[in-house]
Amino acid sequence: MKARIKWVEDRTFVGESGSGHKIVLGTSKEPGGQTPGPSPMELMLIGAGGCSAYDVVHILEKGREAIEDCTVELDADRAETDPKVFTRIHMHFVVKGRGLAPAKVERAVALSIEKYCSASAMLAKSAVLTHDFEVVDTTVAS
């Protein structure tokens, strides 16, 4: 796997993946200032959520569950001193579908966090990872 990061100006960079996808990232010079894109640490958090969401959807589809949507909401704390690694990450999964079995969703989430998601495995070296989930049955009228 390869990637390339190019400095644009100030605190703005363009990252390019080995597969050719580009993303603007950066930080503000002043605290609370305008940012050109997500920070590198935000990208790491997004990557962990994306990795786990991919796993959950894949596992449930493989189990022939009628999954329609999967959202992961992440909340994290970082160390106060450099390097400001993540110290706590909580992942809240909201999985929607028709007649989804909560036990199967729970198993899919656990398998992702504990076995398959490489991003979570790396982040777990410095952070306490916790997770929970909710199932929204779309066959039930709201």
Side-chain angles (χ1 to χ4, degrees), residues 50-95:
C51 181
S52 286
Y54 175 90
D55 289 343
V56 169
V57 169
H58 180 72
I59 292 165
L60 291 173
E61 284 180 339
K62 229 176 142 177
R64 301 188 193 277
E65 290 294 303
I67 184 171
E68 296 173 354
D69 190 40
C70 179
T71 303
V72 186
E73 299 164 357
L74 294 96
D75 182 57
D77 293 328
R78 292 177 63 190
E80 292 186 21
T81 58
D82 291 327
K84 295 178 182 167
V85 298
F86 288 114
T87 56
R88 180 196 65 85
I89 300 172
H90 180 75
M91 296 183 177
H92 176 71
F93 293 79
V94 180
V95 183

Side-chain angles (χ1 to χ4, degrees), residues 8-35:
V8 177
E9 64 183 1
D10 297 326
R11 302 293 181 269
T12 303
F13 299 82
V14 173
E16 183 175 358
S17 67
S19 58
H21 298 280
K22 294 181 181 180
I23 186 167
V24 174
L25 60 140
T27 59
S28 172
K29 282 186 174 181
E30 304 86 33
Q34 186 75 15
T35 62

Side-chain angles (χ1 to χ4, degrees), residues 51-52 55-56 59 107-117:
C51 181
S52 286
D55 289 343
V56 169
I59 292 165
R107 179 178 174 273
V109 169
L111 280 171
S112 174
I113 301 295
E114 298 165 10
K115 183 175 182 180
Y116 294 117
C117 178

